[in-house]
Amino acid sequence: DECLRGAVGAASAAAGARLDFLQVHSYAHKGKFNPTSPFLHSEADFRVSAPLLIGEFVLGQKAEGRTAEQLYGWAHSHAFAGAWGWTAVSQPTLFAGMASLQGYANVSAVTLTHATPPPPDTCSDCSDVPSNTRYTCEQQVRWGKCGEPWMQGFCCRSCHGCSQCESRRSLLAREQEPAASTYGQPDWSHTAYRDYVMQTLEEHRRRTRL
C-alpha cells in the first residue's frame, strides 16, 4: 500500500489509496515448491493487510504431483481468499478441485458453468477447416478469435459447435465465386470485368456474323 500511495500522488494517497487484494502465483521448480509457496503456508504466514489469494497454479509436476482436490482444499483450509487454477489446454481440468469445495460447511455453492461435457456432434459434414495453415482451430478458440470477421466460414466445428455450418460455408463459397456479369451492366471487380470483356467480344462477333 505504501508503494501504491507513493506512486499515485498526494491527493489519492490522502484519500487512502490501497490495494483491494493481493495475489501470488505458485509453480513448483524441478518438482518442488519454493519454500515461500502458499501451498506450504497459511495465509496468516504472509502477514499482509489485504486479502491474499493464490493467483495461478497448475497440476502435475509443477504442483509437486498434487491433485486439483488437494490444491483447492489447501487454499481453502489455510484461509486464502481464493484460488485461481490455470491451464492452457482442455485436459486435465481443475473442475474436480473446485467441485470438492462443496463438501465444506462454510461453502454454500459452487457453480461450474464450463464443467459440463460438450454436446454430441450431430453434424455429418461439419467443416473444421482453419483459416490458414499456421494456426489450428483449437488455437483460435483458445485465443478467442472465433468472432473475428476473417474467421467467418472457418473452424465451424470448433468455434460454432456445428451450428449454421452450411450457411457459413455457403456464404464463403459465394464470396469466392466470380460475380455475375451481363452485357451492358459491368461489375468492375477483376474477375467479373474479365468476364464482361469476353462477353462483350462475343456479342460483337455475333453481331458481325449477322
Side-chain angles (χ1 to χ4, degrees), residues 19 34 38 41 62 90 120 129 150 183 195:
L19 295 172
N34 185 287
H41 295 273
K62 289 187 176 295
S90 57
V129 178
W150 43 265
Y183 178 70
D195 293 343

Side-chain angles (χ1 to χ4, degrees), residues 11-151:
S12 295
R18 63 180 178 81
L19 295 172
D20 294 320
F21 67 91
L22 305 173
Q23 64 156 315
V24 58
H25 296 188
S26 187
Y27 291 90
H29 178 63
K30 294 183 178 180
K32 291 292 183 181
F33 280 125
N34 185 287
T36 60
S37 168
F39 289 114
L40 299 177
H41 295 273
S42 294
E43 188 272 348
D45 294 337
F46 290 89
R47 300 180 182 180
V48 293
S49 59
L52 178 64
L53 58 84
I54 305 175
E56 192 173 297
F57 58 92
V58 295
L59 299 178
Q61 185 181 8
K62 289 187 176 295
E64 290 190 345
R66 299 190 196 186
T67 65
E69 292 89 340
Q70 291 172 324
L71 294 167
Y72 277 95
W74 179 280
H76 180 272
S77 62
H78 288 76
F80 286 94
W84 293 337
W86 186 89
T87 178
V89 295
S90 57
Q91 294 293 335
T93 73
L94 294 155
F95 293 136
M98 291 180 260
S100 69
L101 297 180
Q102 293 178 147
Y104 290 90
N106 61 346
V107 176
S108 59
V110 174
T111 302
L112 304 178
T113 56
H114 299 287
T116 55
D121 179 14
T122 58
C123 302
S124 59
D125 63 344
C126 182
S127 168
D128 208 34
V129 178
S131 59
N132 59 56
T133 57
R134 187 174 181 183
Y135 303 115
T136 67
C137 289
E138 183 179 7
Q139 288 174 313
Q140 301 290 12
V141 172
R142 244 185 0 248
W143 298 332
K145 300 298 184 181
C146 290
E148 296 292 340
W150 43 265
M151 282 293 293

